[in-house]
């Protein structure tokens, strides 16, 4: 099952350098209580996902904030490269565009969009094509070494011999990096940081101290709530009702999350066939109140997780504000 757009969008914050960060502080969402179904009270009749508010969303980073942080990380990389004598300029990141993520959080929900676009994204259909990013100026072999913290040629040769060409015990925070042994790679009389300028920029923004909460913590929390909700008997019952409704319209599919692969719509999301199926999909969701049930259940699980991880979430929020202040200083 694909992650809903609300959660998938969170990954835009994570650059390749950030993905290398592991072991950051912050408890992982636990599975305790996964078998218990929380009370949800009365369930509202919902035929749209627009304007829905989720408990976890209060801690998420907006697309504009992600953009500002990405720009700041580029500035840090450029500053680091400058220390080693390289006038390296990163390509400008793509600015955020109109976001229709909330309209697809539980799959297709808009009857208007279904009739006009089928399963295709209205944003992709109506937004102008993004401007092509100018590639960064090519770096010499030494410049690549400073950026990545390893000589790429030496790395390839080391891999053939089953060895590592760079330190494998990378520091997990910037304060640790400043105290730990360096990479041993000297460029213009200075030692290259472990992981290069790419990793240094990530540590300065996302893990300045050992107490940094994993940048993916909120994303994982939302994913945990969604996973629990999908296994909840009330959502499973609503999904079964929706599936029977679709079958009555002549379409055999197991859940709203699997319509496209089940019915072979990949590559033809706005075809006449897709539009016909999309209209039935939305009508069945409305008939069985699929959105209302799924929202009520997921919200209940999110509230539980927010309460369980309140201390970590408060720390995450504070660190996010610190990160945004640093980004504002770097971006001018």
């Amino acid at each position: 099952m694909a992650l809903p757009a609300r959660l998938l969008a969170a990954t835009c914050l994570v650059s390749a350098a950030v993905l290398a960060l592991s072991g950051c502080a912050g408890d992982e969402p636990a599975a305790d209580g996964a078998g218990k179904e929380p009370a949800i009270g009365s369930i509202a009749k919902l035929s749209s996902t627009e304007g829905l508010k989720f408990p976890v969303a209060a801690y998420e980073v907006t697309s504009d904030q992600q953009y500002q942080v990405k720009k700041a990380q580029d500035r840090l990389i450029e500053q680091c490269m400058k220390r080693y004598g390289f006038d390296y300029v990163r390509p400008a990141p793509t600015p955020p565009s109109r976001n229709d993520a909330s309209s697809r959080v539980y799959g297709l929900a808009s009857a208007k969009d279904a009739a006009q676009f089928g399963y295709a994204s209205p944003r992709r259909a109506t937004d102008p094509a993004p401007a092509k990013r100018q590639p960064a100026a090519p770096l010499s072999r030494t410049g690549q070494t400073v950026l990545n913290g390893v000589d790429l040629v030496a790395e390839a040769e080391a891999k053939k011999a089953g060895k590592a060409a760079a330190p494998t015990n990378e520091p997990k925070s910037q304060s640790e990096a400043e105290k730990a042994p360096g990479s041993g790679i000297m460029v213009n009389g200075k030692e290259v940081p472990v992981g290069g300028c790419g990793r240094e920029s990530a540590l300065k923004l996302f893990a300045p101290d050992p107490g940094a909460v994993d940048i993916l913590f909120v994303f994982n929390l939302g994913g945990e709530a969604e996973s629990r909700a999908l296994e909840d008997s009330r959502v499973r019952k609503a999904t079964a009702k929706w599936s029977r409704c679709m079958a009555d319209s002549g379409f055999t599919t197991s859940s709203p999350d699997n319509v496209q692969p089940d019915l072979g719509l990949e590559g033809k999301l706005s075809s006449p066939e897709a539009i016909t199926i999309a209209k039935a999909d939305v009508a069945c969701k409305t008939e069985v109140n699929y959105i209302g049930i799924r929202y009520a259940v997921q919200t209940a699980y999110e509230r539980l997780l927010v309460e369980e991880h309140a201390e970590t979430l408060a720390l995450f929020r504070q660190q996010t504000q610190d990160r945004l202040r640093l980004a504002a200083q770097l971006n001018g």
Side-chain angles (χ1 to χ4, degrees):
M1 183 207 73
L3 282 173
R6 185 177 67 88
L7 295 179
L8 190 59
T11 62
C12 294
L13 178 62
V14 187
S15 68
V18 180
L19 288 175
L21 301 178
S22 59
C24 295
D27 47 334
E28 289 296 321
D32 296 342
K36 300 176 182 177
E37 296 190 348
I40 56 177
S42 59
I43 300 174
K45 287 277 188 181
L46 297 175
S47 58
S48 171
T49 55
E50 293 294 342
L52 296 185
K53 297 185 182 300
F54 294 84
V56 167
Y59 301 90
E60 292 175 345
V61 180
T62 68
S63 58
D64 183 64
Q65 290 171 336
Q66 293 170 20
Y67 173 67
Q68 297 302 323
V69 170
K70 180 65 178 70
K71 285 204 305 181
Q73 186 170 4
D74 288 346
R75 299 294 82 76
L76 287 171
I77 291 175
E78 292 166 359
Q79 291 174 8
C80 176
M81 295 293 288
K82 188 76 171 179
R83 298 202 312 263
Y84 297 88
F86 294 92
D87 290 321
Y88 178 69
V89 179
R90 298 281 290 177
T94 303
S97 62
R98 184 174 65 85
N99 191 348
D100 61 350
S102 63
S103 68
R104 300 295 173 97
V105 69
Y106 295 136
L108 190 61
S110 166
K112 180 180 177 182
D113 286 350
Q116 186 173 359
F117 304 106
Y119 286 96
S121 166
R123 175 175 59 83
R124 292 181 182 176
T126 59
D127 275 3
K132 290 185 177 180
R133 294 179 64 189
Q134 292 297 321
L139 280 170
S140 64
R141 176 176 171 180
T142 303
Q144 290 284 352
T145 298
V146 175
L147 180 62
N148 300 303
V150 62
D151 184 305
L152 299 181
V153 175
E155 182 181 42
E157 294 174 350
K159 284 184 177 180
K160 291 179 182 178
K163 299 179 181 179
T168 55
N169 56 334
E170 295 179 323
K172 304 301 187 295
S173 69
Q174 180 60 21
S175 60
E176 180 186 340
E178 291 169 358
K179 299 173 185 177
S183 65
I185 302 171
M186 303 298 295
V187 172
N188 292 332
K190 297 180 180 179
E191 189 172 27
V192 175
V194 175
C197 289
R199 185 173 180 82
E200 179 183 279
S201 69
L203 291 176
K204 285 184 174 181
L205 271 173
F206 300 102
D209 301 303
V213 180
D214 192 323
I215 192 63
L216 291 176
F217 182 77
V218 173
F219 170 83
N220 291 334
L221 209 63
E224 174 66 20
E226 183 189 32
S227 294
R228 293 188 189 186
L230 287 171
E231 293 301 317
D232 189 280
S233 63
R234 293 158 293 192
V235 171
R236 291 168 70 91
K237 184 177 179 181
T239 301
K241 286 183 176 180
W242 173 90
S243 184
R244 287 195 295 271
C245 176
M246 289 292 284
D248 291 341
S249 297
F251 307 114
T252 302
T253 176
S254 58
S255 81
D257 299 309
N258 295 328
V259 174
Q260 295 171 33
D262 283 350
L263 299 177
L265 297 179
E266 289 90 344
K268 47 182 181 179
L269 300 181
S270 58
S271 65
E273 177 189 13
I275 289 176
T276 299
I277 296 171
K279 290 164 69 175
D281 179 354
V282 172
C284 286
K285 282 192 176 90
T286 300
E287 181 177 321
V288 306
N289 195 26
Y290 180 84
I291 295 170
I293 294 168
R294 193 161 167 185
Y295 174 65
V297 172
Q298 182 166 332
T299 298
Y301 282 106
E302 287 198 13
R303 285 199 187 102
L304 289 177
L305 289 170
V306 166
E307 291 175 5
E308 181 182 349
H309 299 283
E311 185 175 342
T312 302
L313 285 168
L315 184 59
F316 182 89
R317 175 177 278 167
Q318 179 58 57
Q319 291 174 356
T320 297
Q321 294 305 312
D322 293 342
R323 186 175 302 118
L324 292 171
R325 278 193 289 271
L326 175 58
Q329 293 172 7
L330 290 164
N331 295 334

